[in-house]
Amino acid sequence: MPLLRSWIDSANSATTPFPLNNLPHGVFSVGEGDLRCGIAIGDRVIDATVLEAAGLLRADPEADVLDAPYWNDFMELGPKAWADYRARLTAMLAEGADEATQDALTTFSVPLAEAALHLPFKVTEYTDFYAGKHHATNVGTMFRGAENALPPNWLSIPIGYNGRASSVVVSGTDVRRPWGQLKAPDAELPVFAPCKRFDLELELGAVVGQASSGPVTVAEAEDMIFGYVLLNDWSARDIQAWEYQPLGPFQAKATATTISPWIVPKAALAPFRVPVPARERPLLPYLDEATPGLYDIDLSVSLAPAGKAASTISRTNYREMYYSAAQQLAHHTTSGCPMNVGDLLGSGTISGPEKSARGSLLELSWGGKEPLTLDSGEARSFLEDGDRLTLHGTAHGDGYTIGFGDCTGRLLAALADPYAR
Amino acid sequence: MPLLRSWIDSANSATTPFPLNNLPHGVFSVGEGDLRCGIAIGDRVIDATVLEAAGLLRADPEADVLDAPYWNDFMELGPKAWADYRARLTAMLAEGADEATQDALTTFSVPLAEAALHLPFKVTEYTDFYAGKHHATNVGTMFRGAENALPPNWLSIPIGYNGRASSVVVSGTDVRRPWGQLKAPDAELPVFAPCKRFDLELELGAVVGQASSGPVTVAEAEDMIFGYVLLNDWSARDIQAWEYQPLGPFQAKATATTISPWIVPKAALAPFRVPVPARERPLLPYLDEATPGLYDIDLSVSLAPAGKAASTISRTNYREMYYSAAQQLAHHTTSGCPMNVGDLLGSGTISGPEKSARGSLLELSWGGKEPLTLDSGEARSFLEDGDRLTLHGTAHGDGYTIGFGDCTGRLLAALADPYAR
């Protein structure tokens, strides 16, 4: 599919992340104004809440679904409504739209530069997976040796654990270095202290847009997915090392999970679909891929120490994953687990086969044994106070690019006393 | 504290679970009527939603908080409002209340026997702990041998993992035996099949009634807890055994978690407070108990095969736990994890030191090696289709008892084909 041209000029460049082909969903405010649902195009944000209220573009003729600061009610309408809304908005924004439409959308939009961006949806529950084979192999090699790197179940199950929805924040939110229980390998007892090995995890998040109440097939799961966000699963490695046996990570993953401000709808990513890699062990049939479920999305991570320029520390691609979001979601429902609109599924850390394609500092610095050197000359094993981490994601189309907006956050120093009031 | 006498006679017996000393919070409906907030007393349910609407008993003079089928908005008002509401309702229901009040409350209440009971609160997120030492020791001994029964972190951390809020159901809901990946110890590959080792876990659930946005002390955590429910954390042991390394239980715990229909407020349990047992290893100071945080609550489990009488298969007490809910909640916030009104914390399986006091079939049948014999003569290692499981909880006061209502569920056979539509 080529670039779709819009009467909004800024949407027609080959490099804007928000061409007419994208139309990602977000929530914005201007100044002290209310939070509203918005759609990015070029350098503007269309005010979808006002468009609905004015009757110019409604997803549901009967009821308002955009009169709240999240897209959940819209998602609940289902795939047909998503496609229909997208088709009508595309027509309204396309070159050749009539003048009255252009005037209205110009009035009912604001410059992106003036918009403050908020969480684009209400996160109902959050599940994080471990579905990148390079990542699982790297981490497994460090912890258990190369012979036992992958757990025996890994090639059969998209391994996941429940995370904490309350900890999901929008890009731009500062993240405070947490305290926790840490136990040095040679210490007998733990101490309660600020985390020393705070890390990122480069992931993509799938946003569940339809509910289910029993097991669903991979094809049904595919239809339930509304879109994708960039996702940084901030991780406290030292807290995790001491706490995670036998029931999994808990406080190590609960400080914050940052997502991009824009949900890129599945439709915008359709031209970039790629199949999952060849299976190294046959999957049980309930996990067979229904349709190519990964996407060719270039991903990178940049790290900027306080007051210094950013260095790119990792470049990888979502197609490196072993399991797709639809496979993960299908597995998630096997036990009858009900899924709801607004559930968020983290892909798991996306690492490629090369050293430069590793999606966490744990892997990049090999557990701290091989510190990175940033462009500014500083070394990094794990994050330092003041570091700004930014994830970037881009799909490259024919004369256009699809972006998510940056997924960024700055690490603040730990509180001197977390209980001081 | 002695029995508080009510003008509702049925509340004055020594054996009703709902004397005036209790006043537990639930949600009910009658026939095809709307769901409303209710409070149980004797054999009646007070319609708290109507009392609020009529202006007879309001928790907040400014806004309705009981005009929705859950107690979340009420909980959000905080401990002072909870105590004030309880004091006023107690006075209205106490012997000697004026006739107009008695007439009104008689009008605005229904027989408990006619009320259908629903989830008493909207479960925001659900966390399950592993804080019973007898349970952790039993399970650890089976899986890792007696020498390594307790994981090294167990005496320092109230180990917990995030569960799935969407799977929480109210007592009385049937539970469907799940399918999942099972791998026999001698098999090379897993199969996808109905769970063969479906089990219960006898727990108490703490209902979080106040939000927090950073680390809280145990004393602060104590103030955030609104009340307690009985909780059965249904568990698929064979699914768990294959899936849980390295990131913890996932689908094994996602089929259903049943809670009692009544939240017993903390105030009703105050006379039964007991301290946690002596520490076997000193805790880090942030976990020190602020006030006796366990309760002397007798607990039991009964199992009734389809069409047969029930057998009591376990008798234990909540005072057997090693960590209190306040300690668990304080630990939950160490990393800065935000907590919200409606969060539910499962205590972990409550097993006592005796064999008859074990809170799961996994322990009672020692992994299936020592099947139980029920009163009906049948043997049980794990649950069979049609079995009805019921948890009971009772605190014994001076001439009165405090109950939660039964926490019950029947196990339905697995679907022949979980993907048939």
Side-chain angles (χ1 to χ4, degrees):
Chain A
M1 177 184 288
L3 170 73
L4 300 177
R5 297 190 66 84
S6 171
W7 51 264
I8 296 181
D9 278 345
S10 59
N12 296 330
S13 95
T15 55
T16 176
F18 308 124
L20 183 52
N21 306 59
N22 192 347
L23 300 183
H25 302 254
V27 168
F28 74 103
S29 61
V30 177
E32 300 296 302
D34 287 345
L35 275 61
R36 285 165 291 174
C37 293
I39 297 216
I41 173 138
D43 59 6
R44 298 192 72 79
V45 183
I46 304 291
D47 188 332
T49 297
V50 172
L51 279 190
E52 174 180 71
L56 291 173
L57 180 61
R58 298 186 59 82
D60 182 339
E62 310 286 316
D64 285 353
V65 293
L66 300 176
D67 57 344
Y70 41 76
W71 283 88
N72 298 55
D73 297 341
F74 174 90
M75 291 195 279
E76 194 160 347
L77 297 176
K80 202 177 158 307
W82 308 340
D84 183 53
Y85 184 90
R86 180 174 174 84
R88 284 183 288 143
L89 183 58
T90 300
M92 291 167 79
L93 286 165
E95 240 175 27
D98 64 53
E99 213 157 309
T101 298
Q102 295 194 25
D103 286 350
L105 289 193
T106 303
T107 304
F108 297 144
S109 65
V110 301
L112 184 52
E114 290 173 17
L117 300 175
H118 308 274
L119 272 182
F121 66 108
K122 213 166 40 176
V123 181
T124 307
E125 296 194 64
Y126 166 48
T127 310
D128 194 33
F129 285 86
Y130 187 61
K133 182 153 177 272
H134 304 294
H135 170 72
T137 304
N138 287 336
V139 172
T141 303
M142 271 183 265
F143 291 170
R144 292 179 293 270
E147 311 276 297
N148 302 303
L150 277 190
N153 54 16
W154 200 93
L155 292 171
S156 296
I157 301 182
I159 295 288
Y161 65 99
N162 299 299
R164 183 76 195 174
S166 66
S167 71
V168 179
V169 297
V170 72
S171 175
T173 308
D174 289 337
V175 173
R176 173 78 63 189
R177 181 187 294 275
W179 285 63
Q181 286 201 22
L182 316 177
K183 197 186 83 65
D186 55 349
E188 198 194 336
L189 290 175
V191 295
F192 189 63
C195 165
K196 291 186 178 66
R197 292 160 75 99
F198 204 63
D199 198 358
L200 79 140
E201 289 193 340
L202 167 61
E203 304 192 20
L204 211 63
V207 181
V208 176
Q210 289 282 276
S212 65
S213 59
V216 302
T217 64
V218 177
E220 289 166 337
E222 178 67 45
D223 285 344
M224 290 166 63
I225 295 172
F226 176 69
Y228 291 84
V229 292
L230 297 176
L231 186 151
N232 179 359
D233 182 32
W234 303 90
S235 298
R237 302 295 179 196
D238 40 6
I239 296 173
Q240 187 173 351
W242 170 234
E243 79 174 356
Y244 92 110
Q245 285 290 5
L247 299 185
F250 185 51
Q251 289 305 285
K253 300 285 194 167
T255 300
T257 297
T258 303
I259 63 172
S260 61
W262 299 105
I263 310 171
V264 175
K266 207 170 44 178
L269 293 171
F272 310 102
R273 279 185 182 273
V274 291
V276 292
R279 302 293 89 176
E280 298 177 28
R281 180 198 291 171
L283 289 180
L284 285 162
Y286 82 90
L287 282 173
D288 281 345
E289 190 174 45
T291 187
L294 297 180
Y295 297 94
D296 180 3
I297 301 172
D298 279 339
L299 299 163
S300 67
V301 181
S302 65
L303 190 165
K308 301 263 171 69
S311 303
T312 297
I313 60 170
S314 178
R315 290 182 198 279
T316 182
N317 191 294
Y318 179 58
R319 66 189 302 164
E320 299 290 355
M321 300 310 284
Y322 193 79
Y323 293 103
S324 69
Q327 289 174 314
Q328 293 170 334
L329 178 51
H331 178 71
H332 206 319
T333 67
T334 46
S335 68
C337 180
M339 303 302 297
N340 287 302
V341 173
D343 284 341
L344 173 64
L345 310 185
S347 60
T349 305
I350 305 166
S351 293
E354 308 85 18
K355 183 166 182 184
S356 62
R358 296 175 183 165
S360 68
L361 280 167
L362 176 68
E363 295 164 85
L364 287 162
S365 74
W366 207 250
K369 290 190 185 130
E370 303 169 17
L372 290 187
T373 303
L374 304 179
D375 298 347
S376 59
E378 297 182 47
R380 280 293 178 283
S381 288
F382 292 96
L383 296 170
E384 304 277 339
D385 294 343
D387 283 355
R388 174 173 290 285
L389 243 294
T390 307
L391 315 187
H392 312 269
T394 312
H396 298 277
D398 178 9
Y400 70 96
T401 58
I402 297 284
F404 297 79
D406 287 349
C407 177
T408 188
R410 190 172 47 126
L411 181 61
L412 305 181
L415 293 170
D417 172 2
Y419 299 104
R421 292 289 181 267
Chain B
M1 178 185 288
L3 171 72
L4 300 176
R5 297 190 66 84
S6 170
W7 52 264
I8 296 180
D9 279 344
S10 59
N12 296 329
S13 95
T15 55
T16 175
F18 308 126
L20 183 52
N21 306 58
N22 192 348
L23 300 182
H25 301 255
V27 167
F28 74 103
S29 62
V30 178
E32 300 296 301
D34 287 345
L35 274 61
R36 286 165 289 174
C37 293
I39 297 216
I41 173 133
D43 59 6
R44 296 192 74 81
V45 183
I46 304 291
D47 188 333
T49 297
V50 172
L51 279 189
E52 175 181 70
L56 290 173
L57 180 61
R58 298 186 59 83
D60 181 339
E62 310 285 318
D64 284 353
V65 294
L66 299 176
D67 56 344
Y70 40 77
W71 284 88
N72 298 57
D73 297 342
F74 175 90
M75 291 195 278
E76 194 160 346
L77 298 175
K80 201 176 159 307
W82 308 340
D84 183 52
Y85 184 90
R86 180 174 174 83
R88 285 184 288 143
L89 182 58
T90 300
M92 292 167 79
L93 287 165
E95 241 175 26
D98 64 55
E99 213 157 309
T101 299
Q102 295 193 25
D103 286 350
L105 289 193
T106 303
T107 304
F108 297 145
S109 64
V110 301
L112 183 53
E114 290 174 18
L117 300 175
H118 308 273
L119 272 183
F121 67 107
K122 213 167 40 177
V123 181
T124 307
E125 296 193 66
Y126 166 47
T127 311
D128 194 32
F129 286 85
Y130 186 60
K133 182 152 178 273
H134 304 294
H135 170 71
T137 304
N138 286 337
V139 172
T141 301
M142 272 182 266
F143 291 170
R144 291 178 294 271
E147 311 276 295
N148 302 302
L150 276 190
N153 54 18
W154 200 93
L155 292 171
S156 296
I157 300 182
I159 295 289
Y161 65 99
N162 299 298
R164 182 78 194 172
S166 66
S167 70
V168 178
V169 296
V170 72
S171 175
T173 308
D174 288 338
V175 173
R176 173 78 64 187
R177 180 187 296 275
W179 284 63
Q181 287 201 22
L182 315 177
K183 198 186 84 63
D186 54 349
E188 198 192 337
L189 291 175
V191 296
F192 189 62
C195 165
K196 292 186 179 65
R197 292 161 74 99
F198 204 63
D199 198 359
L200 78 140
E201 290 193 341
L202 166 61
E203 305 192 18
L204 211 64
V207 181
V208 176
Q210 289 281 278
S212 65
S213 59
V216 302
T217 64
V218 176
E220 289 165 337
E222 179 67 47
D223 286 343
M224 289 166 64
I225 295 171
F226 175 69
Y228 292 84
V229 291
L230 297 177
L231 186 151
N232 179 359
D233 181 35
W234 302 90
S235 298
R237 301 295 177 196
D238 40 7
I239 296 174
Q240 186 174 351
W242 170 234
E243 78 174 358
Y244 92 110
Q245 285 291 1
L247 299 185
F250 185 51
Q251 288 307 284
K253 300 285 194 167
T255 301
T257 297
T258 303
I259 63 172
S260 61
W262 300 105
I263 310 172
V264 175
K266 207 169 44 178
L269 294 171
F272 309 102
R273 280 185 182 272
V274 290
V276 293
R279 302 293 90 177
E280 298 177 28
R281 182 199 289 170
L283 289 179
L284 285 162
Y286 83 89
L287 282 173
D288 280 345
E289 190 174 44
T291 185
L294 297 179
Y295 296 94
D296 181 3
I297 301 172
D298 279 338
L299 299 163
S300 67
V301 181
S302 64
L303 190 165
K308 301 263 172 69
S311 303
T312 296
I313 60 170
S314 178
R315 290 182 198 279
T316 181
N317 191 293
Y318 179 58
R319 65 189 303 163
E320 298 290 355
M321 301 309 284
Y322 193 79
Y323 294 102
S324 69
Q327 289 174 315
Q328 293 170 334
L329 178 51
H331 178 69
H332 207 319
T333 67
T334 46
S335 68
C337 180
M339 303 302 296
N340 287 303
V341 172
D343 285 342
L344 172 64
L345 310 185
S347 60
T349 306
I350 304 167
S351 293
E354 309 84 17
K355 184 168 180 184
S356 61
R358 296 174 184 165
S360 67
L361 280 167
L362 176 68
E363 296 164 84
L364 286 162
S365 74
W366 208 250
K369 290 189 187 133
E370 303 169 17
L372 289 188
T373 303
L374 304 179
D375 297 347
S376 58
E378 297 182 48
R380 280 294 178 282
S381 289
F382 293 96
L383 296 171
E384 304 278 341
D385 295 343
D387 283 355
R388 173 173 292 284
L389 243 294
T390 307
L391 314 187
H392 313 268
T394 312
H396 299 277
D398 177 10
Y400 69 96
T401 58
I402 297 284
F404 297 78
D406 286 349
C407 177
T408 188
R410 189 172 47 126
L411 181 61
L412 305 182
L415 293 170
D417 173 0
Y419 299 105
R421 292 287 181 268

